[in-house]
Amino acid sequence: MSEVLSRPPAGRAQWSRCPGCRLFLYERKLARNLGVCPECGWHGRLTAPGRLDQLLDAGSRRALDIPVATGDPLGFTDSRPYPERLREARASTGLEEAVVCARGAIEGNAVIVAAMDFRFLGGSLGAAAGELIAGAAGVALSERTPLLIVTASGGARMQEGAIALMQMAKTSQALGELDEAGVLTVSLITDPTFGGVAASFATLCDVIIAEPGARLGFAGRRVIEQTIRQTLPDDFQTAEFLLEHGVIDLVRPRSVLRGTLGRLLATAARRPPAGLPPEPGPDAAHLVTDPAALPDRDAWETVRSARDIGRPTTLDYAGQVFEEFLELHGDRLAADCPAIVGGLARLGGLGVVAIGHQKGHDVAELTRRDFGMPMPAGYRKAARLMRLAAKLGLPVVTFVDTPGAHPGAVAEEQGQSVAIAENLRLMAALPVPVVAVVTGEGGSGGALALAVADRVLALSGAVYSVISPEGCASILWRDAAAAPRAAAALRLDARRLLGCGVLDAVVEEPDGGARGAPAQTAARLRAALAATLRELLPLDAAAVVAARRARFRRFRGEGPSGIADPH
């Protein structure tokens, strides 16, 4: 398939043929549609200046003055000398190099942008292009402004040899400095992005967004097929393929890119004037800290209620507790586990990172999401998002609702125990406030991997235990039918968990429970989170970590904090 618009026969110069559906398109209509075919959705290549015009707010664009010089370090000549190719690229594009850098705003949010232009020697990464990327990162660093990199490249520039190779290290180093400074970085992958660009700054950003069909990879398809003598899938290295395999966060059509980037920048960067969520409303009265104030419920009935597929899921709460939720995907290694969801959210204007187990409300969704039982990729996705929260200084809110981690050979082969253990260690040391809420079923280490928090809350209809009642009954009573007896013995309901200090507070569910009154439950949960975060946010990072570690250090055989079981 051709990757650029082809011209029609003479006399029809205002028309172009779409490489996707092969239809002729009126160029003015194509331009009005942002270079996207209105028939098949094929995304045509844009110039770097055209890309900046589309993304940045009108009148906000200002060129960055980053002095660079392109040399000829090798005296390279193929069919023509390298300097001649450079002169031709400059003349045909009107650009000095393959990267254009600017400052501006997207929906009112300040941003530094470095946009690559494939027309300039295939967007190849040479010394000057690397210096422009690193220079834009330097401006973002000095101004503490988010950096957006738009990629379009065939890879490192061969005519500059090892000097071009060094640009991979230079640009990666520049992004590392932004990580250390807590500055948000975003890459927008456009077609194509290969080689040294893909293996450096393009995939090192905090959030990776791709246009539909955009290809991203280290080696090209033809090279791989010739090397391994295999036929690759049709969608190999496309944005959709990479999303499924956990490499990128989002695939967004060009028509909604500005909106997506605006939401992302706002959620990650904006703070309310006081740096705190709003004062909790009257629903905050439903945050219970006295176990005696909770009703004494039958343990087995509570277990059955906590498992009810009608109870709200993490995504349900994300849509009602927060004003904004932008889901991010993938562990950046191999997969996007659907049993854990997470992303950037806003609570009363305060940016937070929200993560939770996701079950479903019907058999199809439950099956697709493995009944909320995460694979190792799910815990690694959660860990990636928690590290992003630490970098940006955003509190973490987790929603716990899982029977446990996914059991099975594949999970074990992929390091299930290691993934859980690493999350426990990571959460214990996160330098930002962490609040966990058990919303349904808190099963074993699979639940704890999202619950090493400063404050652990639970809905009054939730349960939390070292093992399922059925598992306990099968092991100790050798009879799964003894599950009700095991549930009572495990003391896994909210009242008893609050009494022994595993929980810090309980959010009382309205009449009818979370299933019967989901909106009211979400309102109470929102108030509880706001109240808890207002308590934690004034603490500095060292105090937060020290208190969290002390909280879990207290759990000894005699019961933490000397709190008696109210039963």
Side-chain angles (χ1 to χ4, degrees), residues 38-71:
E39 298 297 326
C40 71
W42 175 83
H43 281 54
R45 289 179 188 153
L46 297 178
T47 67
R51 179 72 65 174
L52 294 174
D53 288 342
Q54 281 191 11
L55 292 179
L56 297 178
D57 296 348
S60 71
R61 177 180 165 186
R62 299 290 183 272
L64 291 182
D65 183 17
I66 303 174
V68 295
T70 301

Side-chain angles (χ1 to χ4, degrees), residues 65-71 90 96-97 99 127-133 135 170:
D65 183 17
I66 303 174
V68 295
T70 301
R90 289 172 180 145
E96 283 299 307
E97 251 298 335
V99 181
E131 188 62 25
L132 287 165
I133 296 291
K170 176 199 289 186

Side-chain angles (χ1 to χ4, degrees), residues 288-297 460 494-496 498 506-508:
V288 179
T289 56
D290 179 7
L294 295 170
D296 190 3
R297 304 177 60 180
S460 56
R495 184 173 188 258
R496 290 166 179 78
L498 181 62
V506 173
V507 181
E508 195 171 6

Side-chain angles (χ1 to χ4, degrees), residues 1 16-25 37-42:
M1 179 187 296
S16 299
R17 173 172 281 172
C18 171
C21 62
R22 309 304 296 168
L23 291 178
F24 282 112
L25 305 171
C37 175
E39 298 297 326
C40 71
W42 175 83

Side-chain angles (χ1 to χ4, degrees), residues 294-307 311 400 402-403 438-444 447 456-473 477 482-503 505-506 509 565-567:
L294 295 170
D296 190 3
R297 304 177 60 180
D298 179 80
W300 180 239
E301 287 303 316
T302 303
V303 170
R304 295 177 64 187
S305 174
R307 293 172 174 173
R311 288 180 71 87
V400 176
T402 180
V438 185
T439 60
E441 187 177 13
S444 190
V456 181
L457 315 180
L459 294 178
S460 56
V463 295
Y464 193 13
S465 178
V466 66
I467 193 173
S468 71
E470 294 90 342
C472 178
W477 280 274
R485 180 181 175 188
L490 288 167
R491 301 192 177 193
L492 42 61
D493 61 285
R495 184 173 188 258
R496 290 166 179 78
L497 292 166
L498 181 62
C500 72
V502 169
L503 301 179
V506 173
E509 295 178 25
D565 189 316
H567 184 59

Side-chain angles (χ1 to χ4, degrees), residues 135-465:
V139 173
L141 179 63
S142 64
E143 299 179 4
R144 295 299 192 271
T145 301
L147 173 68
L148 169 63
I149 304 176
V150 185
T151 65
S153 176
R157 192 168 296 176
M158 293 178 289
Q159 294 92 337
E160 295 186 19
I163 299 301
L165 186 66
M166 296 303 106
Q167 306 312 306
M168 294 172 63
K170 176 199 289 186
T171 54
S172 299
Q173 174 179 291
L175 263 68
E177 292 180 56
L178 291 173
D179 288 339
E180 294 165 6
V183 177
L184 177 70
T185 57
V186 182
S187 61
L188 171 56
I189 307 299
T190 74
D191 189 66
T193 298
F194 281 109
V197 170
S200 58
F201 56 87
T203 51
L204 286 178
C205 290
D206 299 315
V207 179
I208 304 175
I209 305 173
E211 290 190 329
R215 293 167 297 162
L216 168 71
F218 185 58
R221 180 190 187 97
R222 185 183 308 164
V223 171
I224 296 173
E225 288 186 329
Q226 290 176 351
T227 301
I228 66 175
R229 298 288 192 266
Q230 292 180 9
T231 300
L232 299 171
D234 290 341
D235 64 347
F236 183 70
Q237 295 181 320
T238 63
E240 295 75 13
F241 177 92
L242 296 168
L243 181 67
E244 180 183 351
H245 289 82
V247 178
I248 65 176
D249 288 283
L250 299 165
V251 177
R252 287 291 186 270
R254 201 168 287 167
S255 58
V256 301
L257 268 177
R258 262 179 51 80
T260 299
L261 289 168
R263 290 168 59 201
L264 174 61
L265 294 170
T267 303
R270 282 186 183 164
R271 304 289 185 275
L276 297 171
E279 288 283 358
D283 279 326
H286 297 283
L287 190 60
V288 179
T289 56
D290 179 7
L294 295 170
D296 190 3
R297 304 177 60 180
D298 179 80
W300 180 239
E301 287 303 316
T302 303
V303 170
R304 295 177 64 187
S305 174
R307 293 172 174 173
D308 191 325
I309 64 172
R311 288 180 71 87
T313 66
T314 292
L315 288 178
D316 294 328
Y317 287 123
Q320 296 185 67
V321 170
F322 305 115
E323 302 96 282
E324 187 78 67
F325 176 69
L326 180 63
E327 186 179 354
L328 304 177
H329 294 268
D331 65 351
R332 295 280 175 89
L333 291 174
D336 179 39
C337 173
I340 286 184
V341 296
L344 292 164
R346 274 189 289 162
L347 179 66
L350 175 74
V352 303
V353 169
I355 306 166
H357 301 96
Q358 180 67 19
K359 290 183 177 178
H361 293 302
D362 55 44
V363 173
E365 186 181 7
L366 285 166
T367 302
R368 182 168 65 86
R369 296 189 182 273
D370 286 325
F371 294 82
M373 297 185 293
M375 295 288 286
Y379 293 114
R380 291 176 179 133
K381 173 167 61 174
R384 180 175 78 83
L385 294 175
M386 286 188 276
R387 292 189 185 98
L388 176 60
K391 171 182 170 175
L392 300 178
L394 302 178
V396 174
V397 174
T398 67
F399 300 90
V400 176
D401 184 16
T402 180
H406 195 289
V410 175
E412 295 299 328
E413 289 167 2
Q414 295 175 0
Q416 186 73 285
S417 299
V418 176
I420 292 171
E422 288 183 342
N423 270 26
L424 303 181
R425 179 174 60 185
L426 171 66
M427 294 190 78
L430 278 180
V432 294
V434 183
V435 181
V437 186
V438 185
T439 60
E441 187 177 13
S444 190
L448 182 62
L450 294 189
V452 181
D454 303 293
R455 298 289 185 273
V456 181
L457 315 180
L459 294 178
S460 56
V463 295
Y464 193 13
S465 178

